[in-house]
Amino acid sequence: MFKILKTEGRARRGEFTCAHGTVQTPVFQNVGTQGAIKGAVSAQDLKDLGCQIELSNTYHLHIRPGDQVVRAMGGLHKFMNWDGPILTDSGGFQVFSLSSLRKIKEEGVYFSSHVDGRKIFMGPEESMQIQSNLGSDIAMAFDECCENPSPYEYVKASCERTTRWLHRCKAEMARLNSLPTTVNPKQMLFAINQGGTYDDLRVAHMKAIAELDLDGYAIGGLAVGESTEVMYHILDEVVPYAPENKPRYLMGVGTPSNIIEAVWRGVDFFDCVMPTRNARHGHLFTWDGIRNLNNAKYQLDDKPIDEHCHCPVCQNYSRAYIRHLLKSGEMLGQRLTVMHNLWFYNNLMVEIRKALDEGRFAEFREQWSEKLGKRI
Amino acid sequence: MFKILKTEGRARRGEFTCAHGTVQTPVFQNVGTQGAIKGAVSAQDLKDLGCQIELSNTYHLHIRPGDQVVRAMGGLHKFMNWDGPILTDSGGFQVFSLSSLRKIKEEGVYFSSHVDGRKIFMGPEESMQIQSNLGSDIAMAFDECCENPSPYEYVKASCERTTRWLHRCKAEMARLNSLPTTVNPKQMLFAINQGGTYDDLRVAHMKAIAELDLDGYAIGGLAVGESTEVMYHILDEVVPYAPENKPRYLMGVGTPSNIIEAVWRGVDFFDCVMPTRNARHGHLFTWDGIRNLNNAKYQLDDKPIDEHCHCPVCQNYSRAYIRHLLKSGEMLGQRLTVMHNLWFYNNLMVEIRKALDEGRFAEFREQWSEKLGKRI
């Protein structure tokens, strides 16, 4: 259930309730692709970092350890020891970006595993079955994600197939949720809007999927080759056609500035590997920009990563120590940097929500969007 | 200060107080070579694992980040965010085992760094200065550790030089502790007994170093090539010559069974990389023996690593999940396995101390030493 508490222009301050709890939106989902956060960050750590909802990956978990294994272990929540909300993406994006020897047919996609080359078929029903086995709170529809730019006619045909797939996803999810043995009978389904960089295809596809009255609407196929301006333009055009009373999720985006701009355009959910990936290279997020702890100038710097940050890392460790850990290949370095960056993202959302609550999000955007955009 | 609370045969139950707190002995020191525990285990985690005293490495920290850096950051306690006792070993062992192009002279050792080949000189004074910069609670004397077996005449001459070095260590430590700018003016010094596998050299060396009335006495140069029986024999021969009222530390040892046998022979302090190193290969310690989580039979096993274990890992995670993490290369797998193994070692010492407190250590040894020796 999604409740809009307040709006400011197109931006919304909401509350989303699913089987494992209530999420305050706008929200950033913390990415644990294989059922674990990178950098040895545990589910317990996630709580300390203010994470509200974790995101795992259907494709990865299907390949390893296998969704049947996760199901037998009681579902993903129990498996990874995280009792809060979980969203699983459908595997569509990874099938197109990671696997090899892909063949797209009406029934689904034939591809080879990126781990062992094993031949796998995944269609809408298979994706729903896998996600049902994982028992996430939110399942994502199985879609095709085209790279940008792709030819108009290709994208048009792909969108139409993705809509047909969505009907099959919805039917299969309803069937699975009604089985007495299902892991999470309250599993929800979010649709995914596609259409590349073509306004008319985006809008037509959103209209088509809106008719299915699903639990949420994602915008996929952005941040895959196009410029930031094009991404914002697509959001301007398509978001007004997403159902007002359902959460909207911009998949795989993005920088802090991207997130502020997308909230401004009416988006509620986000996810991105940027905070974890940057952390592992020693690139730390602060409101003043990226701090690269590999830099020699931090060798004797006893200040925390960010002097204004309240995260568990900044409360306890210095730049000099973390730099030492990164330089000497100690895993603890990656853990501390990932923790800081995830906290930064979760805290960014806290600040965005606070600004919305207090009716000053336009001002917040004015103050931070361009500044952070230049810095990060 | 070392207080013996109780004895049983040669075994001692004691309490050791240093600048950063009191340690219940017999104790296992948790090894954080480069100022961090392997497997992304943080200082906060160490507290949850029942660690009483952390051990870091003079050689490694001198090379990277440099002991001057650690000193400038307020010393090792502050640097790594661990406010409990720390012991630093002298670097002697690493100079002999890790570095290349070694030349041993009366003044000390000339060698090349294993990281960048840089030429370094370390003698007793340098080792004390580095450890003083680190500000550990216990500094170890700079010694030569010969591999076993080594020729009698070589070991004899080496022991005599190690004794001469010890006099220089003691003098230098006294000088450093009296400086107004020293990091930890209460830094203690432990001597190291050498003598290879030669009873008479061991005893002669222990008698010689006992005269210096230091804060503790370590037995070095064991578990470096000789059999377990030889190691126990040396302990039988040499421990009676170690000062009664000072803690005794068996360096780099060992298996759970080794530890029980050494406590039986009068040893109080231990350290070993076994728990961390085994953990990283998926080899988990239990009272029933080593559990290898790489084994396919754990794929669908929802039990904890050890059903009788109260560690934070066994309270929250299944064999199946940890196996999945190890198989998919998720760092969290290493963190959880290291945490379990360190807890096992710390808890082994709890059980040993309890048995001593209750006057039933002979029985405990009878029950567990051989059994664990066969299993682990």
Side-chain angles (χ1 to χ4, degrees), chain B residues 132-373:
Chain B
S132 178
N133 285 335
L134 299 175
S136 58
D137 296 273
I138 305 168
M140 297 303 299
F142 188 71
D143 63 335
E144 180 183 359
C145 176
C146 307
E147 63 182 331
N148 292 330
S150 290
Y152 184 90
E153 287 307 323
Y154 184 88
V155 176
K156 185 166 186 285
S158 165
C159 279
E160 288 162 4
R161 184 170 47 217
T162 287
T163 307
R164 291 192 296 275
W165 284 355
L166 182 61
H167 283 267
R168 288 164 54 190
C169 285
K170 188 181 176 183
E172 181 66 4
M173 177 61 60
R175 186 185 73 82
L176 292 163
N177 279 353
S178 71
L179 294 178
T181 56
T182 196
V183 176
N184 177 7
K186 292 184 177 165
Q187 192 167 36
M188 294 168 160
L189 177 62
F190 279 22
I192 303 177
N193 170 251
Q194 293 288 353
T197 52
Y198 304 107
D199 299 4
D200 61 330
L201 295 183
R202 283 279 173 187
V203 170
H205 188 239
M206 186 59 97
K207 285 180 176 171
I209 63 179
E211 283 175 20
L212 278 83
D213 191 33
L214 293 167
D215 300 301
Y217 286 84
I219 296 152
L222 290 179
V224 286
E226 83 288 356
S227 73
T228 305
E229 289 64 36
V230 169
M231 177 169 81
Y232 294 161
H233 171 76
I234 295 290
L235 290 178
D236 286 335
E237 294 298 314
V238 78
V239 168
Y241 296 93
E244 189 66 27
N245 58 341
K246 300 292 171 70
R248 301 153 182 170
Y249 163 25
L250 179 55
M251 302 183 82
V253 175
T255 66
S257 167
N258 291 161
I259 289 177
I260 295 171
E261 287 302 315
V263 168
W264 182 250
R265 288 164 172 82
V267 174
D268 311 294
F269 278 58
F270 298 89
D271 81 283
C272 191
V273 296
M274 269 191 84
T276 34
R277 187 169 294 167
N278 273 269
R280 286 147 68 202
H281 297 110
H283 299 172
L284 282 302
F285 287 95
T286 81
W287 293 83
D288 295 323
I290 297 260
R291 195 179 292 288
N292 181 350
L293 281 193
N294 296 300
N295 200 310
K297 74 178 171 186
Y298 298 121
Q299 196 187 17
L300 286 163
D301 192 335
D302 67 356
K303 290 191 282 300
I305 298 168
D306 179 352
E307 290 171 273
H308 307 292
C309 176
H310 294 98
C311 87
V313 180
C314 287
Q315 297 311 300
N316 289 303
Y317 300 96
S318 65
R319 297 171 187 169
Y321 181 60
I322 298 171
R323 179 175 188 277
H324 161 61
L325 297 177
L326 295 172
K327 288 283 168 196
S328 19
E330 285 287 346
M331 275 189 189
L332 183 58
Q334 292 202 24
R335 177 156 169 248
L336 297 181
T337 54
V338 168
M339 286 176 72
H340 170 84
N341 276 359
L342 284 179
W343 200 91
F344 179 88
Y345 265 71
N346 292 329
N347 184 57
L348 169 70
M349 306 316 289
V350 170
E351 294 298 330
I352 289 174
R353 291 196 298 269
K354 215 185 287 176
L356 284 165
D357 281 335
E358 296 167 2
R360 53 172 181 80
F361 181 64
E363 193 187 315
F364 177 90
R365 176 192 175 220
E366 185 91 14
Q367 186 183 351
W368 287 110
S369 175
E370 201 186 330
K371 214 180 280 181
L372 285 174

Side-chain angles (χ1 to χ4, degrees), chain A residues 169-239:
Chain A
C169 284
K170 188 181 176 182
E172 182 65 5
M173 177 59 60
R175 186 185 75 80
L176 292 162
N177 277 354
S178 70
L179 295 176
T181 55
T182 196
V183 176
N184 177 8
K186 292 186 178 164
Q187 193 168 34
M188 293 168 162
L189 178 62
F190 278 22
I192 304 178
N193 170 251
Q194 292 288 353
T197 53
Y198 304 108
D199 297 4
D200 61 329
L201 296 182
R202 282 279 172 186
V203 170
H205 188 241
M206 185 59 95
K207 283 179 177 172
I209 62 178
E211 283 175 21
L212 277 83
D213 191 33
L214 294 166
D215 300 302
Y217 286 84
I219 296 154
L222 290 181
V224 286
E226 84 289 354
S227 71
T228 304
E229 288 65 35
V230 169
M231 177 169 81
Y232 294 162
H233 171 75
I234 295 290
L235 291 178
D236 285 333
E237 295 297 315
V238 79
V239 168

Side-chain angles (χ1 to χ4, degrees), chain B residues 42-51 81-84:
Chain B
S42 69
Q44 182 55 53
D45 293 328
L46 280 188
K47 300 220 161 164
D48 297 340
L49 300 174
C51 167
N81 192 36
W82 169 255
D83 61 6

